[in-house]
Amino acid sequence: MTLTDTPPASRAQAGRRLSTSKAMVEAIAQEMERDESVFYLGEDVAAYGGIFSSTTGLLEQFGPKRIIDTPISETGFIGLAVGAATEGMRPIAELMFADFMGVCLDQIYNHMAKIHYFSGGRVKVPMVLTTAVGGGYSDGGQHSQTLWGTFAHLPGMKVVVPSNPADAKGLMTSAIRDDSPVVYMFHKGIMGLPWMAKNRRSIDLVPEGEHVVPIGKAAIARAGSDVTVVTLSLSVHHALDVADTLAGEGIDVEVLDLRSLVPLDREAILASVAKTRRLVVVDEDYLSFGLSGEVVASVVESDPSLLTAVRRVALPDVPIPYARSLEYAVLPRHDRIEGAIRGVLA
Amino acid sequence: MSTTTPAPSVQGLEPEVRLGLYSSMVLVRTFEEAILREYHADKGPGFDIGKGLVPGEMHLAAGEEPVSAGVCAHLTANDAVTATHRPHHFAIAHGMALRPMAAEIFGRTSGLGRGRGGHMHLFDPDTHFSCSGIIAEGYPPALGMAFAFTRRGSDAIAVAVTGEGAANQGAFHESLNLAALWNLPVVFVVEDNDWGISVPRSASTSIPNNADRAAAYGIPGHRVEGNDVDDVHEVAGRAVARARAGEGPSLIEVHTVRMWGHFEGDAQGYRPDLAEVGDRDPIPAYEDRLRSAGVLDDEQIARIRADATERVEDAITFAKGSPEPDPAEAGMYVFAEEAQS
């Protein structure tokens, strides 16, 4: 077993590179081989293989009794997963886009997330809810949101958000094995899809065999001393790109990849900020009432004197627009991240 | 189209079965009357919903006992039941232990959920019982329980209960479609008590008979008129047998009666049948029928009632004597690793 607390870039492992989607599928396949009670259901997850390649090849390997296409009926099949989990199975239910939470949220936040608590710990709900998030490809405002702050706000579910292939595998392994419900949110822009612009790190080294990344542990994606960028998912890559650029100017940026929102690794945030004293939070979710405010509040509550400067780079509180120029204006892309880093250093 | 009972085929019911149905109804009513008493004992002056040993909303099921008795007579503790915000009659009829059930209603550590759930959130692994306070949302999890039973090679089934108001919700229709599509062993039960809080079904539902909706999903639908436990027993027996045999889901609607308010404190000023609703009490009617049929005599009635009272009062005493949860532990049991005890 490989236990990873550091990102793959810092590990000297030979060899095999996989796209994020293939790494995710590999974890699912390994867990399905290991545990008969694991099955995957959702829209277009069987013959199609998941519209963002989250299940490619699984139907051929495990057959239609365990890789199950559902009707477009999210309340029905997510509720089914909840009930199957309470009876000891380990379902993975895919919500095709996180944006579709509106048609099935009751099963997610009032049932999946609360049954264990309501039962005083006597009924477990060991399921994974996988869902695609994020924009940047002009899919409009109902197919581009991340919404992880909304899931993380509602108690009772863990929320993991991998940014790279190795973590996609390791966090999926942990999510399936967890006895609590876990929401596994994969950004379309990190999957390494051949039909969407991809960053250079979306195909990377992935350990073979069993690979576990613990839920609730952030990773230092890049160590630095001048400013801390706390971020997650696709924005990790934007932040790393900007850090590489600024390094040429002698600006040393630390990039902290949260990897999990629930539980949130506040210790890692505090440790980094204690070192740099300057904080930029980059979040592809909406600005107000969300993750970026939570990160800043966590630091300030712990020690109000810790920070000398703070900036947030997030989606302004508008629906995500369609036109490329408008969408790029609201997404936390390189230019805005760079501006915020320069701002806290000024 | 669906079929409708009364049908002439219920004469053959065994006396022991009828005694069981009667006993279940009496036990439920005794429990509901005791909760009613405890609930209102200390809500004053006036009525403050948050006061007293049993605070919060309280939805009692007096009048609806024929549904739970008639359905649950066909179940074992291996079968799952998902019920509603008005769950006590199904919980008791399905065999839930009264002590931890009452203790949960009183919000005590010895309760099913250690005081985290309350009367709308009773979860009992021993009887595979659960309920949800959200209208129609108990249906989808029942599909998954049935799915799990089938995958494990068990002949257990799931019974999903809602009220007639839920038949207009999306979750209801998604569940019927999915259960029919995947041939899941589920019995869907609709308790039509005429009222969605204050809205009569004539103002909420476009058709007079929700069992007709089964036809839209290609499954059997049957409406039981008259709140007759023998009829419910017969119709539910067919649906349960069909599910257990792997022949798929069914939908049963029972026209029952909500004898009390939607919740306690509901003055029911909207209700034109308020003065006569007591006349529709199904328990005295069934008692008379069993007496006439020679199934039940006064001595047996007294014994069944005394036994119910003893069990219920024991549970209430147990609940009241149990410790209240430690406020410092409000954060326990959010996640599975916090449930070591």
Side-chain angles (χ1 to χ4, degrees):
Chain A
M1 180 165 89
T2 321
L3 203 71
T4 310
D5 278 311
T6 50
S10 64
R11 271 180 287 127
Q13 292 205 17
R16 196 183 59 135
R17 288 171 184 274
L18 293 180
S19 67
T20 303
S21 68
K22 284 187 176 147
M24 176 179 164
V25 169
E26 185 168 273
I28 297 166
Q30 286 177 358
E31 291 308 296
M32 287 185 71
E33 279 175 357
R34 180 177 171 270
D35 185 345
E36 280 278 303
S37 66
V38 180
F39 65 101
Y40 202 111
L41 77 171
E43 293 154 8
D44 305 292
V45 302
Y48 198 110
I51 63 163
F52 300 110
S53 300
S54 55
T55 55
T56 304
L58 291 176
L59 175 67
E60 292 73 13
Q61 195 175 348
F62 295 100
K65 288 199 78 163
R66 296 181 73 191
I67 304 296
I68 305 168
D69 268 336
T70 64
I72 302 166
S73 185
E74 289 86 354
T75 289
F77 76 76
I78 292 173
L80 185 151
V82 171
T86 65
E87 289 297 340
M89 299 196 77
R90 290 186 176 270
I92 308 170
E94 180 168 308
L95 177 62
M96 184 184 277
F97 288 76
D99 312 65
F100 300 170
M101 73 188 292
V103 300
C104 55
L105 188 57
D106 193 72
Q107 285 300 325
I108 296 169
Y109 89 115
N110 265 334
H111 294 82
M112 180 184 89
K114 289 180 183 163
I115 285 173
H116 183 265
Y117 188 77
F118 285 164
S119 74
R122 293 190 166 100
V123 179
K124 292 180 170 52
V125 191
M127 65 176 279
V128 182
L129 181 70
T130 56
T131 189
V133 301
Y137 60 104
S138 286
D139 214 4
Q142 295 175 341
H143 294 77
S144 300
Q145 302 166 94
T146 62
L147 298 174
W148 44 55
T150 305
F151 286 90
H153 181 69
L154 301 164
M157 44 190 157
K158 298 183 180 180
V159 179
V160 300
V161 191
S163 71
N164 60 63
D167 285 355
K169 179 174 180 182
L171 285 169
M172 177 59 78
T173 306
S174 292
I176 294 170
R177 294 181 186 181
D178 205 292
D179 281 339
S180 297
V182 179
V183 183
Y184 181 103
M185 310 185 82
F186 54 93
H187 199 297
K188 302 149 209 167
I190 66 155
M191 292 295 269
L193 303 172
W195 47 279
M196 190 180 289
K198 50 184 172 289
N199 69 77
R200 60 194 154 91
R201 301 173 202 86
S202 56
I203 296 171
D204 208 342
L205 297 170
V206 177
E208 294 193 49
E210 187 179 51
H211 176 54
V212 178
V213 172
I215 294 173
K217 293 283 183 199
I220 298 171
R222 183 188 195 283
S225 56
D226 293 332
V227 55
T228 297
V229 176
V230 172
T231 187
L232 73 171
S233 193
L234 179 64
S235 299
V236 171
H237 303 282
H238 297 338
L240 289 172
D241 293 342
V242 171
D244 286 349
T245 305
L246 294 178
E249 297 177 27
I251 299 172
D252 194 15
V253 177
E254 177 145 307
V255 178
L256 188 70
D257 179 355
L258 289 173
R259 303 200 290 191
S260 299
L261 293 196
V262 181
L264 182 63
D265 191 350
R266 291 186 169 86
E267 281 180 26
I269 297 168
L270 288 168
S272 179
V273 171
K275 183 172 63 175
T276 64
R277 311 297 298 271
R278 300 181 188 90
L279 172 63
V280 173
V281 187
V282 182
D283 181 14
E284 199 183 310
D285 205 350
Y286 300 114
L287 175 70
S288 300
F289 314 105
L291 171 66
S292 61
E294 182 63 32
V295 168
V296 175
S298 297
V299 175
V300 174
E301 267 185 339
S302 168
D303 182 356
S305 69
L306 214 49
L307 286 174
T308 58
V310 61
R311 292 277 173 98
R312 293 190 284 162
V313 182
L315 275 174
D317 301 320
V318 298
I320 297 174
Y322 163 67
R324 186 177 299 114
S325 60
L326 297 177
E327 187 186 19
Y328 278 25
V330 301
L331 288 174
R333 295 179 59 81
H334 300 76
D335 52 343
R336 291 177 62 207
I337 297 169
E338 184 179 331
I341 293 171
R342 292 187 189 281
V344 296
L345 289 165
Chain B
M1 294 293 270
S2 63
T3 52
T4 303
T5 300
S9 56
V10 295
Q11 278 98 3
L13 211 51
E14 301 286 328
E16 311 85 78
V17 173
R18 296 178 113 182
L19 276 178
L21 298 175
Y22 175 75
S23 300
S24 168
M25 295 201 292
V26 167
L27 183 60
V28 168
R29 181 65 61 84
T30 306
F31 188 88
E32 297 296 63
E33 285 173 344
I35 295 295
L36 183 76
R37 178 191 75 215
E38 297 295 330
Y39 183 80
H40 288 288
D42 45 10
K43 287 283 179 297
F47 176 84
D48 180 344
I49 191 170
K51 278 189 73 175
L53 288 179
V54 183
E57 285 183 58
M58 180 53 64
H59 315 81
L60 299 173
E64 304 187 15
E65 296 91 344
V67 192
S68 52
V71 171
C72 294
H74 301 285
L75 307 181
T76 77
N78 294 325
D79 297 314
V81 173
T82 69
T84 69
H85 58 287
R86 194 182 311 284
H88 299 172
H89 54 323
F90 267 93
I92 293 169
H94 192 42
M96 184 180 281
L98 296 185
R99 281 184 164 199
M101 177 182 172
E104 186 58 27
I105 294 169
F106 278 76
R108 303 303 171 100
T109 52
S110 57
L112 287 167
R114 306 178 213 265
R116 270 81 175 165
H119 113 98
M120 285 188 274
H121 309 295
L122 302 170
F123 291 85
D124 181 20
D126 291 343
T127 56
H128 301 266
F129 182 92
S130 62
C131 49
S132 171
I134 309 296
I135 299 301
E137 296 287 344
Y139 265 31
L143 309 180
M145 295 165 191
F147 179 95
F149 297 150
T150 304
R151 286 299 168 93
R152 295 258 153 91
S154 159
D155 72 345
I157 69 155
V159 172
V161 186
T162 67
E164 88 288 345
N168 302 314
Q169 282 276 37
F172 175 91
H173 294 275
E174 290 193 28
S175 298
L176 263 61
N177 178 63
L178 205 47
L181 184 70
W182 292 354
N183 200 46
L184 296 171
V186 183
V187 175
F188 296 107
V189 176
V190 176
E191 296 182 288
D192 173 13
N193 65 17
D194 292 321
W195 296 96
I197 307 186
S198 66
V199 176
R201 62 170 295 146
S202 60
S204 71
T205 306
S206 58
I207 55 173
N209 178 352
N210 279 315
D212 286 347
R213 299 184 192 242
Y217 304 101
I219 64 173
H222 196 105
R223 179 168 164 97
V224 179
E225 277 298 346
N227 205 25
D228 186 307
V229 69
D230 286 345
D231 289 343
V232 176
H233 182 273
E234 192 213 349
V235 169
R238 288 202 299 265
V240 169
R242 180 179 142 83
R244 235 186 261 295
E247 292 163 12
S250 307
L251 174 64
I252 299 168
E253 181 170 57
V254 181
H255 189 199
T256 185
V257 61
R258 194 188 81 200
M259 290 179 58
W260 302 342
H262 165 71
F263 42 36
E264 289 310 308
D266 173 7
Q268 303 193 79
Y270 50 83
R271 198 160 168 180
D273 65 337
L274 199 55
E276 303 93 55
V277 73
D279 302 340
R280 295 170 62 193
D281 189 338
I283 295 180
Y286 196 57
E287 203 172 277
D288 288 348
R289 189 192 306 170
L290 295 197
R291 214 194 307 256
S292 312
V295 175
L296 198 59
D297 60 24
D298 287 348
E299 194 184 320
Q300 283 171 298
I301 292 170
R303 196 168 61 240
I304 288 167
R305 289 187 176 277
D307 175 63
T309 301
E310 188 183 329
R311 290 180 61 193
V312 167
E313 294 305 329
D314 167 77
I316 301 285
T317 303
F318 171 81
K320 287 174 156 178
S322 296
E324 292 188 24
D326 180 352
E329 294 182 351
M332 276 182 77
Y333 309 119
V334 177
F335 294 115
E337 50 267 37
E338 295 154 1
Q340 303 307 321
S341 59

